Structures are given as C-alpha cells and as structure tokens.
Amino acid sequence: MKVNDSWLAWAVLVLTLTFSSLCAAQTQGGESEDSRWFTIDTLNNGLGAPPEEVNRVTPREAIRSFLDLTDQDEYEAAAHMLNLAEFSDEEQREQGSELARQLAEIFQRGEWLTVSDLPGREDAVIEDPAGQNPRVGETRRNVEVSSLKADGETYDIRLGRYRVGEQEPVWLIMPISVSYIPVLYEQYGPSMLESYIPERLQSSFGILRIWEWIAIPVFLLFIVMVGWGVHRLIGLMSKWLPSGMSSIFASQIGMPAALIAMSLVTQMLLDYVVSFSAVATTTFRVLLISILAWGVGTIALRLVDTIMLRLTRRIVGEIDDTKPRDERRLLTSLYALRRAIILITVTGVSIYILGQVQLFETLGLSILASASVLAVLVGVAGQTVLGNILSSFQLSFAKPIRIGDLVIFEGEWCYVEGIFYTFIRLRSWDERRLIVPVTYFTSKPFQNLSVKSTKMYRFLELTLHLSADIGLLRDKFIEFAKEEDSVIEHHKLLCYVTAQTGTAQTVTCYLMTSDPLAGWTAEMNVREKLLAFIRDNHPEWWPRDIVVISHNDIARGSQGKSSGEMDSVEVKPSE
C-alpha cells in the first residue's frame, strides 16, 4: 500500500513540474513577442491609408522616407510616419501635415542627423562587430533618432515599432516624441528674419539652402569685425591704464577676450536672429564651445602669469644665484604651480568641450572599442612630449636645480631662467639663451654651483723660476686678495708650491669667493696684480731655459773653474 502511494506521489510531482514548465515557456514566448513591438488596436485612422511611397519597415528606411517626402513638400504623406495616437481622427487630419512640416524643420536645423547611423534591420537588433557591447544581439522596439535641447531641457525624438492585429509591424515617431514637436519647433524653427527671404532662395543647394550660402559669409564677416573691435578696445585700455600689473594683464588678454566676445555674439545671433541648417549649426556650436572654453582658460592662465610676474618682481627680482635659496625655491615652486594650473585647465576645458558637444554619443560606442588602439598610438607618438612633461614635474618637485641656480652644462656657465613643460631655458654668461629639452638635460651630468651654497673655491697657478721668493709672493697674494670684495673667509687664503721641475716651480694660490662668477673676476684680478708685481719688481722670477756649456758646478763659483772651461748661460725664452 505504501509502495502504491509513493508511486502516486511521484506521478503527481512529475505532472506538476511538466505543467509549470509549459506555462513558463508560454509566458516567456509571450514576453519575447511583446519585446519586439508595441501591440495597438488602431493606427492613424484619421489619415486614411498610407501611400505606396511610405516605407516604414526599418528605422533607417522610415526616417529616409520621411525626409524624402518632406523635401518634396508632401507633408500629408509624411504625416503617416508619425504615431498620432494622442489625437482624435479629426485632429489627425488637421494637424498631421503641420506636425510633419515642423518636424522636418527641426531635423533640418537641429542636430546633424545621419540616417546611415540608424538600424537597417526590421528588429533593430544591436550590432557590434568589435564585440564590446554587452547588449549585442538584443532586439529593440524603440530607438533614438535625435536628442535636442530647448529651454535647458533635453527632448528625445524616438522611433517605435508598432503592430496592429496581424499586420506587419511598422516604425513610427512615438507619441511622446510627437508631443515634443511644438516645443522644439519654437526653439529650432525659422527665425523672424527668414520670413523676409524670397521663396526662391529657400530651396536647398547641396547641404545648405541658397540663402545660407550668402548669409554665412556675411555672418562671419560681422563676427570678425566684432572681434577686431573688442581686441582694439582692449589694446586702448592697456595704454590708458597706468603702467603696472593691470596694464600688463590687459595687454595679454586682447585676443582671448575678442574670441570670447565673438562666441557670445554668435550664440546670441543664432538664438534670436537667424537659424541655419543643422550642418552649419552643429559646426558653429562645436567651434563656439571650443573657442569660449579656450578663451576663458587662456585668460585664467594670463592672470596666473601676471600674479607670478608681480611676485617675482617683488620677492625675487633679477633671476640669478645671488638671491637667497628660499626665494629661488619659491620661484621654482611658482613655476611648478603654473604648470599644474595649465594641466588642470587643459584637462577641465577638454572635459567640458567633450561633454558639451557630446562627442562620444555622436561617434557611438565604436570609439570605445578603438580606445585602446588610440591610446597606444598617442603614447607612441607623444612619448617624447610626455617624457619631457614628467621630467619637468620631477625637476620642479625634487629641485636638483632651481630658478636662478648657476649650472655648468656641457661646458657652459648658465643661469636657470625657466623650467617649462618640455624645455629648460638657460641664460649663458654672455647673455645667450640655451633651450634644452628637459629629458636631454636630466640625462646629462651637470654641475649645480648653487645647490648648497654660492660660495666657491677658486685657484690660480703661476709658473716661476726656482729662485722666486715664495714668502714674499704669499704676502702679496694675501694683500691683493683682501682688496677684492667678493673674496670672503680670508683665513682660508692659501699659497703653496704645488709642483717643481728642474728649471721652474708651480705656485698655486687659493681663495674663497662669495659666488662663482664674482670668484672668476676676483681670480683674474689677483692674477693680473701678481703678474704686474713680478714684472715690475722681480723680473728675474720669470722661468728661463738653461743651456749648459760647462760641466763645472757653478754653485761653487769661480773656485771650481779650470782654465778653458765655460759657465752655463741662462737664456730667457723668446716672446
């Protein structure tokens, strides 16, 4: 009995699972069916049957058919591309053609519409040859055609796939998008100025209308004149202002201020005076955003440069290593801050421009697939530039050199005048400027004569006869060295014989100087004074060549001479 009951329970369980699986399959099939289109009972009954030239099979063909019909002013036929479900039959007949005409104007003047970017399949399946989109292969029942802004709000024009009963599904502008048409037409419709343009000039010629080919050059000429006037006004203001930081700042912002004025006036004219086609409007919009962002960023950088100039003049003054190390370190930090501000400004402006022009949305997801390849190409092409930028930041923060340091680079005595993104500017002792790439500078050994202290030991060498009085020469050296203002730490003045040959001796004198260039001058002065002293008072100290004509020891005098022998003769070297 128990065995029979268990078999009965197993049979009931199997039947239950089978029935639930069938129900789930039916439910899934129903959802799959609904995900491909919107099921409706009626479609635009007030418009009557659609003409044969209306093609609504795919999103691409639907929009292409709509644009072709509106180009031929067949707005009644084009109204069949709109889902007018929110209107009564009578309203559909009265307003359908007008809504189609307004939508055609919106497409013509709004965002630049590329029909080929729309799906060309009936089910609008997501295609991605690169395989980067996780939704690849998914069918859609609505797609976005365009996204436009009006009064600060964003409105999407979307196509939906609709099926009436057992008829073939068609693609139409969705009812919610149809309701946006009056608002968008108020923003993108013809301007008041266009009502005065003759009808024959409003026909299309290429990508623009005939009147636009005439109006755009005049429009640009007017904008250029506005920019020239602003630039001229800023130049006059820089001359009127008293000399100082304000006049310097005004003289540097003429061009960016003119560009900002040009972009603002252009935007105002496009909003309130004239409205061009989408291709011209899109081009102007991208240029206006780029110019405006560049102008604001440039003015900000000019302000930073002016503040840095004022701080440099007030705190540091002339750039050399005679200034205290803290002041030169401050100037180096200011230059590093300037580069950081430039980097932040460029990054911010780039992000702002990309966000405003919606570059990634326009290009689509395919740009993301090629982002890695683009990054590699940019990295290879800009390797030198990026290396210089990183090296400049390393120099600014590690500070092996500072602005105003005296360095010896490849045998040249130079002051460091500036550390920029990609190069270092050096001022040589003879007022020449050396422009050295940062990576090249850091890859070569150099001497920083100011890294710890500007003090420097200098030395001079004199080659004298063996009979020279070193004690007297040492006293004169100390006397002459103390007369030099740049010679410091007099207790470190030294004078010794450092080498000797059979006919001469080398005397080396050491002196401590306050800075390298002043030390070089002091060394030259002391050498000249010592040479003058020897020339005027002890010319016999000059080294001489000795020709031996006798093997007698002349140190013993005449006592060691024998008849017929001759003494050695000292012969001064010819000058």
Side-chain angles (χ1 to χ4, degrees):
M1 185 67 180
K2 292 182 178 179
V3 174
N4 293 334
D5 290 343
S6 62
W7 276 106
L8 181 60
W10 277 106
V12 171
L13 179 60
V14 169
L15 290 174
T16 302
L17 291 176
T18 303
F19 180 77
S20 62
S21 299
L22 292 174
C23 291
Q26 291 177 359
T27 302
Q28 291 176 359
E31 291 178 355
S32 176
E33 188 78 11
D34 292 340
S35 66
R36 291 183 293 173
W37 51 66
F38 298 98
T39 302
I40 55 178
D41 297 329
T42 60
L43 178 62
N44 297 342
N45 288 336
L47 300 180
E52 295 181 357
E53 59 267 24
V54 174
N55 188 344
R56 303 177 293 183
V57 177
T58 68
R60 184 183 301 169
E61 291 301 326
I63 295 299
R64 181 180 289 128
S65 178
F66 177 82
L67 295 178
D68 291 341
L69 291 172
T70 53
D71 285 342
Q72 300 170 13
D73 295 337
E74 297 181 7
Y75 299 114
E76 292 183 1
H80 287 276
M81 315 304 299
L82 311 179
N83 188 342
L84 303 175
E86 301 296 329
F87 298 86
S88 64
D89 292 350
E90 183 178 353
E91 290 174 337
Q92 291 177 4
R93 287 191 297 270
E94 294 176 353
Q95 302 183 27
S97 59
E98 178 62 18
L99 289 172
R101 186 189 67 81
Q102 292 182 1
L103 182 59
E105 290 285 350
I106 293 171
F107 283 153
Q108 178 70 19
R109 302 169 187 272
E111 183 180 346
W112 191 357
L113 180 62
T114 305
V115 179
S116 59
D117 290 340
L118 295 173
R121 292 181 46 155
E122 298 179 9
D123 54 2
V125 67
I126 298 176
E127 299 176 333
D128 183 14
Q132 300 294 324
N133 193 336
R135 298 177 58 191
V136 63
E138 179 181 331
T139 60
R140 291 175 291 178
R141 59 179 182 176
N142 69 87
V143 296
E144 180 181 306
V145 177
S146 178
S147 180
L148 302 170
K149 289 186 177 181
D151 299 328
E153 299 292 336
T154 302
Y155 299 91
D156 292 339
I157 304 297
R158 304 187 70 89
L159 280 170
R161 196 182 188 200
Y162 298 94
R163 184 179 185 184
V164 180
E166 298 300 325
Q167 298 178 13
E168 290 296 325
V170 293
W171 288 91
L172 305 173
I173 301 294
M174 301 182 69
I176 185 65
S177 298
V178 173
S179 67
Y180 296 153
I181 292 178
V183 179
L184 294 174
Y185 185 75
E186 187 69 23
Q187 177 74 25
Y188 296 98
S191 63
M192 181 181 63
L193 181 64
E194 294 181 49
S195 60
Y196 300 98
I197 298 175
E199 187 69 24
R200 63 179 180 276
L201 296 180
Q202 295 191 14
S203 58
S204 298
F205 182 74
I207 60 176
L208 299 175
R209 300 178 182 181
I210 296 176
W211 71 268
E212 290 177 328
W213 289 107
I214 302 172
I216 288 179
V218 177
F219 181 82
L220 293 176
L221 179 61
F222 175 76
I223 296 301
V224 170
M225 292 178 62
V226 170
W228 178 84
V230 172
H231 186 274
R232 182 69 174 171
L233 180 60
I234 297 292
L236 294 176
M237 288 179 56
S238 64
K239 295 179 180 179
W240 292 339
L241 291 173
S243 59
M245 295 298 105
S246 57
S247 61
I248 294 176
F249 177 68
S251 64
Q252 292 180 343
I253 64 171
M255 182 58 70
L259 292 176
I260 291 176
M262 292 168 61
S263 63
L264 294 178
V265 171
T266 303
Q267 187 63 53
M268 182 182 66
L269 293 177
L270 291 176
D271 289 341
Y272 302 105
V273 180
V274 65
S275 177
F276 295 117
S277 299
V279 57
T281 303
T282 303
T283 304
F284 278 128
R285 185 167 64 90
V286 174
L287 291 177
L288 290 178
I289 292 173
S290 303
I291 290 173
L292 183 62
W294 180 85
V296 172
T298 302
I299 290 178
L301 293 179
R302 294 292 183 266
L303 179 61
V304 172
D305 288 341
T306 304
I307 295 174
M308 285 185 56
L309 178 61
R310 183 172 184 177
L311 291 175
T312 301
R313 289 182 176 180
R314 175 180 294 183
I315 299 175
V316 181
E318 183 67 22
I319 299 177
D320 56 36
D321 62 348
T322 60
K323 297 295 178 181
R325 293 177 58 206
D326 292 339
E327 294 183 358
R328 289 184 280 119
R329 185 182 296 112
L330 173 62
L331 186 58
T332 306
S333 301
L334 289 176
Y335 268 79
L337 177 62
R338 179 183 184 275
R339 289 194 297 278
I341 292 175
I342 291 175
L343 184 61
I344 294 173
T345 302
V346 171
T347 303
V349 168
S350 302
I351 293 175
Y352 172 77
I353 293 175
L354 293 177
Q356 290 297 316
V357 303
Q358 300 177 347
L359 179 62
F360 295 109
E361 295 180 9
T362 303
L363 297 181
L365 295 175
S366 60
I367 193 173
L368 299 179
S370 59
S372 57
V373 178
L374 181 63
V376 172
L377 294 177
V378 171
V380 173
Q383 181 178 6
T384 303
V385 176
L386 294 176
N388 282 321
I389 292 175
L390 294 177
S391 298
S392 69
F393 275 104
Q394 178 185 0
L395 288 178
S396 299
F397 292 112
K399 292 184 176 65
I401 57 173
R402 299 178 300 271
I403 305 297
D405 279 359
L406 180 63
V407 298
I408 300 179
F409 180 70
E410 294 189 339
E412 294 279 355
W413 288 57
C414 306
Y415 281 116
V416 180
E417 272 197 335
I419 305 173
F420 300 95
Y421 266 117
T422 57
F423 66 91
I424 297 175
R425 188 176 66 222
L426 306 176
R427 187 182 79 231
S428 64
W429 65 274
D430 55 358
E431 295 300 322
R432 291 180 294 114
R433 265 56 177 184
L434 303 180
I435 307 301
V436 184
V438 181
T439 52
Y440 181 81
F441 184 88
T442 55
S443 64
K444 298 291 182 179
F446 61 90
Q447 299 181 46
N448 189 340
L449 304 180
S450 309
V451 65
K452 291 295 184 182
S453 173
T454 58
K455 298 188 301 182
M456 186 178 185
Y457 245 135
R458 305 289 303 184
F459 68 91
L460 57 94
E461 291 182 343
L462 297 176
T463 301
L464 302 176
H465 192 265
L466 293 173
S467 62
D469 186 347
I470 302 303
L472 177 59
L473 186 66
R474 181 180 295 114
D475 294 338
K476 286 298 179 180
F477 162 71
I478 295 175
E479 175 186 346
F480 296 150
K482 288 181 178 180
E483 294 175 356
E484 298 292 326
D485 295 335
S486 59
V487 176
I488 59 176
E489 300 183 13
H490 296 163
H491 63 283
K492 292 185 178 181
L493 296 173
L494 303 173
C495 185
Y496 294 103
V497 176
T498 55
Q500 179 259 330
T501 64
T503 58
Q505 57 184 336
T506 301
V507 181
T508 306
C509 302
Y510 299 87
L511 63 161
M512 177 69 73
T513 59
S514 58
D515 62 90
L517 285 184
W520 182 85
T521 304
E523 176 192 336
M524 302 302 110
N525 291 338
V526 172
R527 179 182 284 108
E528 290 177 0
K529 292 178 181 179
L530 288 175
L531 292 176
F533 169 75
I534 296 172
R535 183 182 63 247
D536 298 338
N537 298 282
H538 298 281
E540 70 275 8
W541 288 0
W542 298 126
R544 295 177 293 275
D545 294 333
I546 300 177
V547 178
V548 178
I549 57 177
S550 173
H551 296 286
N552 228 11
D553 188 358
I554 62 172
R556 296 172 59 188
S558 59
Q559 298 178 358
K561 290 183 181 180
S562 60
S563 59
E565 292 182 345
M566 299 181 63
D567 296 336
S568 62
V569 178
E570 295 183 359
V571 181
K572 293 184 180 180
S574 59
E575 296 183 358

